[in-house]
Amino acid sequence: MSRYGKWIEEAGLPAFQYDADHTVDEAAEWNTRGDGRTRRHQHGFGNRRIQAFADNDGTVVLWDELDAMRWLTAPTPNGSGISRIRCDERSWSTLFVERPPAGPHVRTFGPTWFRVATDDGRVAVERTVLCPEGEQPWVLVRVRLTAVGEPTRLQHVEEWALRPRHQNLFAQRDDLGRAAAEAIAYEVEATGATATAREQRAETVPTVVLAGDDMEPTTVPLVIGRPLDVRLEALGTAGVAAGDGAAHPTLTVTSDVELSAGSPVTLWFRFGIDDGTSLDDPEALFDASLKALRERLPEAEADTAPQAAREIPWHIATLTGGACVDGVIGDHALDQASAYSYVSGFNGASRDPFQHALPLVYTEPDLALSVLRNTCSWAYPDGFLPWGLDGEKRVRRGKDLWHLGQLEYASDLHLWAFWLAAEYAAATGDLAAFAAPLPFHPATKAEPVPFIENLRRQFRHFVDEIGLGEHGHVRLLGCDWADSHVGDIAAQGVDRATLFEKGESLLNSAMAAWVLPVFAGLCDRLGEGAMAAEARELGAHLRGAVAVEWNGRWIPRALCGDARFGEDSLFLEVQPWAILSGAVEGDRARDLLREIDERLRHGSPLGARQQWPVPTEPSRAGFPGECLSGGIWFSLNATLTWAAAHVDRQFGWDEWRRMTLANHEEHYPEIWEGTLSGPDAYNSPEARIPGRTWAVVGLGIQSFPVNNLHSHAQPVISYLRMLGVEPGTAGELRVASDPTASFRSRSFEVRRDGSGRLEASGPVVVRTPSQTVEGGPGTLTWSK
């Protein structure tokens, strides 16, 4: 349905074949709302160590997050990572604007690879860039050259323009000049020959301007520099040159090739960070990676949502491709990405990695645990969990870093940690993980503690420091899930100081009313009876407190003294949690879903809006129909789908289908974001640019509207919820199944008939509508 190509299946894997000429199609052009207009359509893929971003120009750039957020070669209009062909005084390349004039030029995006196929009538080139399975910090490049007709002699030039750039929006001013002035070293190696180019950066600080159509520009400093060791290695070729470009060197490896008719020649290259490894058989690695990928990705089938068969494995591949070994904190990072990382240079909020890891509990539980540990390591020894990290992986307290909007004082972050920890344990039985030592962030200089002690301190901070307000609800403090609502409430006549002191979040209360009893089940299993009892008692109190706030139509959004926020406006955030926690049930739950359907979902093809009525004027929360002024959020619609699964399954499946890539293609075929990947929130029909994403002063997701991991994690976890898969309050895993749908991964399976399988690493309890099965470690099965 997309204007730019079609989905195909290749080697048993989903892929997207891009065959449009975006240079002549005016619909391909879009406004970044920060960096001008462009026709670049890109998508990111990776392994557990490095990410590659490919685009419709046929170029590839690399992103590394081991010790800081940095582009190894940043995306610019010049392109990078191409094959150049020189034959009979003619020269052309895999770059789209340098393609042969009469030949085809197909760009194919795969789950962990990108391919360009083109020819000039005499020579056909198929160039594939693969992120190998595992933790290699480089990509493997395979170039196949074939004589279309007669034998041909040519030169192939492997070409990478080096444009390293660090991203760190919140860096201290004294760090910017230092980082920008440091030397950067590059190395090229081929069959024993080595050439090195060095460049000394000028002591200047580059900037990027973020602005929307109707907003004042905000100039934000970006960091360029820090030592960066990049190696381009050619396997079995010769002839090395390091050319000097206008701003950075262009590394090239030239190969003389003689082609016989019908006998292709294959060239292999590696590009990325030198990890000291050798690669004697690149073809074996290439084939083994694709085989391992097929075995790793889950399978799904749903009669009412046939898109699941293609999109569930695609989402998991893209989601896991956003992970990176954390060389500073340990384990794996799995941040939001998109404009948050790739443009602005920060990892926030800490709630997001917890959400992204939830579906991995059922597909790659080892990675889910690694992300859980990594994000809990951000916590301070007193249990304080920070809002985010800067581009150098630093975390600070007070007004040193996160004073903007008082984001440091977010009140919901611990709940996401408790949720993921409980779900991981319920689905794996890995109770031993909670006795293992967990380090704190190196900046704290604190000794590691057992993981359960880290969670205990977080629990105490949530109960004792965040605590409850005068109405018995969880305090709002600086913000809850919706980071901009502080400004909205303040605009209604409540000053920030009063809001910080007296504000209460009904969203936090409703969410905690579900999370805390589930966390209590984990605590019981770990022998933490006192914490379990306290969590269970607090959860019961909050469930009752939310229930009494029912206004006859829905649950309000927040309270501050006598002021009530969301009494006459319907805010989606709190409603699904009110249903899931049991605060709203029976006829009230059905009535609430009808209100949501009529007001938030009506006329919105991509899913429920965040609020109704949609504001008509810009605010701190965004332009009308965007962001927190009525945008469409994956994180919210996933919980809505889940809540609906308990009340109205037809509603749930319909909301799930609205989240799909196929649905976005159908309604907005000319918009690239939403084709292979997406942002954290789409603009609603009331927005100036519906179907795209948002921008506010200082941060524009539209500047990098793809590869936000919410667009990949939330469809998978909500699909599992539609099959009745969720943790219970006694530490068990509940599985209800659906006769129209199924799911299968290496570690977990739910069949249409209600039977299933679980690969457990410790003792687990699976509760279905008809039976309770206990077992583990090992394979646990249950019948229909």
Side-chain angles (χ1 to χ4, degrees):
M1 298 177 186
S2 170
R3 189 184 187 101
Y4 307 107
K6 62 184 179 181
W7 285 93
I8 61 173
E9 182 177 301
E10 186 169 305
L13 297 167
F16 185 84
Q17 186 173 287
Y18 191 114
D19 52 17
D21 185 346
H22 60 284
T23 63
V24 299
D25 187 350
E26 293 184 0
E29 185 171 297
W30 55 283
N31 185 359
T32 66
R33 302 176 72 181
D35 195 27
R37 304 187 69 85
T38 182
R39 298 193 181 192
R40 168 175 276 137
H41 297 161
Q42 59 186 331
H43 177 67
F45 54 93
N47 55 25
R48 293 191 183 187
R49 176 61 180 81
I50 202 165
Q51 266 193 298
F53 284 85
D55 62 32
N56 52 351
D57 287 327
T59 70
V60 177
V61 294
L62 299 187
W63 171 265
D64 170 44
E65 208 169 314
L66 177 70
D67 52 20
M69 291 184 171
R70 61 182 182 176
W71 291 102
L72 300 187
T73 176
T76 74
N78 299 323
S80 189
I82 64 172
S83 287
R84 189 172 300 281
I85 304 299
R86 296 170 180 165
C87 181
D88 296 337
E89 299 183 351
R90 293 178 298 112
S91 178
W92 50 275
S93 79
T94 53
L95 187 65
F96 190 79
V97 295
E98 297 178 354
R99 70 194 187 280
H105 198 91
V106 178
R107 292 128 290 170
T108 303
F109 297 85
T112 59
W113 48 269
F114 174 67
R115 184 178 65 237
V116 178
T118 187
D119 71 74
D120 68 344
R122 295 182 60 186
V123 177
V125 177
E126 181 187 276
R127 176 184 177 84
T128 304
V129 179
L130 170 76
C131 283
E133 290 286 283
E135 295 183 354
Q136 295 89 338
W138 38 263
V139 293
L140 183 61
V141 183
R142 183 185 70 185
V143 180
R144 283 179 172 168
L145 303 169
T146 306
V148 177
E150 298 178 355
T152 303
R153 301 183 68 178
L154 58 85
Q155 280 190 333
H156 172 273
V157 182
E158 178 73 9
E159 184 175 300
W160 291 84
L162 296 178
R163 290 180 295 271
R165 185 169 77 207
H166 272 227
Q167 303 294 108
N168 192 352
L169 175 60
F170 298 114
Q172 301 297 292
R173 296 296 304 181
D174 58 347
D175 293 335
L176 295 173
R178 171 189 56 78
E182 288 181 343
I184 303 170
Y186 310 102
E187 185 176 6
V188 188
E189 179 181 287
T191 60
T194 301
T196 300
R198 295 187 63 83
E199 178 182 78
Q200 184 71 33
R201 301 293 297 159
E203 293 191 29
T204 59
V205 179
T207 61
V208 62
V209 176
L210 302 176
D213 294 341
D214 299 326
M215 65 178 72
E216 292 296 322
T218 300
T219 301
V220 180
L222 296 178
V223 177
I224 292 183
R226 300 298 299 274
L228 179 62
D229 184 16
V230 181
R231 171 174 292 183
L232 172 64
E233 181 181 18
L235 305 172
T237 63
V240 181
D244 290 324
H248 297 282
T250 297
L251 303 187
T252 61
V253 177
T254 301
S255 305
D256 293 315
V257 179
E258 186 167 342
L259 296 177
S260 302
S263 298
V265 170
T266 301
L267 306 178
W268 295 94
F269 305 91
R270 287 196 295 175
F271 178 72
I273 297 172
D274 180 15
D275 60 352
T277 63
S278 60
L279 183 58
D280 298 326
D281 193 345
E283 185 172 7
L285 176 62
F286 192 97
D287 293 342
S289 288
L290 292 183
K291 181 177 183 294
L293 178 64
R294 285 191 295 270
E295 295 172 349
R296 175 170 66 87
L297 297 183
E299 298 176 0
E301 290 184 355
D303 296 342
T304 55
Q307 307 94 327
R310 178 179 72 216
E311 297 193 18
I312 293 296
W314 180 265
H315 285 316
I316 290 295
T318 308
L319 176 63
T320 55
C324 185
V325 175
D326 194 323
V328 174
I329 302 172
D331 294 298
H332 287 79
L334 193 65
D335 56 61
Q336 274 202 80
S338 66
Y340 299 98
S341 298
Y342 308 134
V343 176
S344 295
F346 70 90
N347 182 358
S350 51
R351 70 177 74 92
D352 298 304
F354 293 133
Q355 294 178 76
H356 302 153
L358 283 168
L360 302 182
V361 167
Y362 302 95
T363 62
E364 299 179 40
D366 65 314
L367 183 56
L369 174 61
S370 188
V371 175
L372 172 62
R373 286 175 50 87
N374 173 270
T375 316
C376 284
S377 286
W378 300 10
Y380 275 66
D382 63 359
F384 168 79
L385 187 61
W387 188 87
L389 306 178
D390 73 358
E392 301 285 330
K393 295 183 181 284
R394 293 174 299 189
V395 57
R396 302 173 183 177
R397 299 183 73 164
K399 293 187 176 181
D400 191 25
L401 185 63
W402 298 111
H403 65 284
L404 299 176
Q406 295 181 310
L407 292 179
E408 177 201 354
Y409 302 104
S411 52
D412 65 313
L413 304 178
H414 301 88
L415 295 174
W416 303 92
F418 303 154
W419 175 7
L420 177 57
E423 186 139 1
Y424 171 78
T428 66
D430 184 13
L431 302 182
F434 297 91
L438 185 72
F440 292 102
H441 192 286
T444 68
K445 296 181 170 56
E447 292 297 317
V449 297
F451 188 10
I452 185 58
E453 175 63 20
N454 178 290
L455 292 172
R456 184 186 297 111
R457 296 182 187 186
Q458 288 194 51
F459 181 75
R460 290 265 52 90
H461 192 278
F462 178 78
V463 173
D464 301 334
E465 301 300 323
I466 295 175
L468 306 182
E470 61 182 289
H471 298 91
H473 291 287
V474 179
R475 294 174 64 205
L476 176 61
L477 299 182
C479 66
D480 54 17
W481 171 87
D483 296 319
S484 296
H485 271 324
V486 170
D488 287 344
I489 299 174
Q492 295 190 4
V494 180
D495 64 86
R496 284 182 176 270
T498 301
L499 183 64
F500 189 89
E501 180 183 355
K502 296 185 176 182
E504 298 170 71
S505 168
L506 271 66
L507 166 58
N508 281 352
S509 291
M511 181 181 178
W514 180 87
V515 169
L516 292 177
V518 171
F519 180 61
L522 169 61
C523 294
D524 277 334
R525 299 187 71 194
L526 295 175
E528 298 286 338
M531 185 160 57
E534 188 175 3
R536 199 167 277 118
E537 181 180 0
L538 180 55
H541 160 78
L542 291 171
R543 183 170 59 253
V546 172
V548 301
E549 299 293 346
W550 176 256
N551 67 8
R553 296 177 297 172
W554 53 70
I555 300 294
R557 180 65 177 78
L559 309 175
C560 187
D562 294 333
R564 300 175 69 82
F565 182 54
E567 188 67 43
D568 298 320
S569 299
L570 174 56
F571 285 84
L572 179 58
E573 295 100 298
V574 63
Q575 314 310 325
W577 287 115
I579 294 174
L580 291 167
S581 67
V584 173
E585 55 186 351
D587 289 341
R588 283 187 177 181
R590 287 183 283 274
D591 291 343
L592 179 53
L593 284 185
R594 279 195 293 270
E595 292 282 353
I596 292 172
D597 190 42
E598 293 172 5
R599 303 180 192 280
L600 297 178
R601 286 179 12 113
H602 179 70
S604 181
L606 302 184
R609 305 167 184 85
Q610 169 263 342
Q611 66 173 280
W612 174 93
V614 174
T616 58
E617 298 294 332
S619 72
R620 293 173 183 266
F623 292 100
E626 296 187 14
C627 196
L628 292 169
S629 287
I632 301 165
W633 291 80
F634 281 99
S635 183
L636 301 182
N637 293 351
T639 53
L640 174 59
T641 299
W642 176 16
H646 287 261
V647 180
D648 184 340
R649 298 190 61 76
Q650 183 177 350
F651 182 115
W653 277 119
D654 184 69
E655 187 66 22
W656 191 87
R657 287 191 297 268
R658 296 190 193 197
M659 282 194 287
T660 61
L661 297 170
N663 182 60
H664 191 280
E665 283 186 21
E666 178 181 352
H667 289 91
Y668 300 101
E670 74 285 355
I671 296 178
W672 176 248
E673 56 267 32
T675 306
L676 305 186
S677 186
D680 52 358
Y682 290 120
N683 296 341
S684 69
E686 291 77 13
R688 294 168 303 166
I689 44 173
R692 292 198 182 274
T693 191
W694 57 275
V696 297
V697 174
L699 179 61
I701 303 305
Q702 187 61 54
S703 63
F704 208 109
V706 297
N707 283 87
N708 186 287
L709 295 188
H710 284 293
S711 70
H712 299 289
Q714 307 299 348
V716 180
I717 191 61
S718 56
Y719 180 86
L720 288 163
R721 296 303 196 239
M722 288 303 302
L723 303 187
V725 179
E726 59 184 83
T729 57
E732 81 280 18
L733 183 68
R734 298 175 182 175
V735 182
S737 79
D738 185 305
T740 69
S742 64
F743 177 90
R744 185 175 72 85
S745 73
R746 292 183 300 183
S747 60
F748 182 72
E749 183 174 5
V750 182
R751 306 182 188 97
R752 292 171 181 254
D753 64 1
S755 62
R757 169 189 55 86
L758 175 66
E759 301 299 329
S761 55
V764 295
V765 177
V766 176
R767 185 165 296 158
T768 75
S770 61
Q771 60 184 306
T772 298
V773 180
E774 301 183 32
T779 302
L780 188 71
T781 61
W782 56 94
S783 58
K784 59 183 179 179

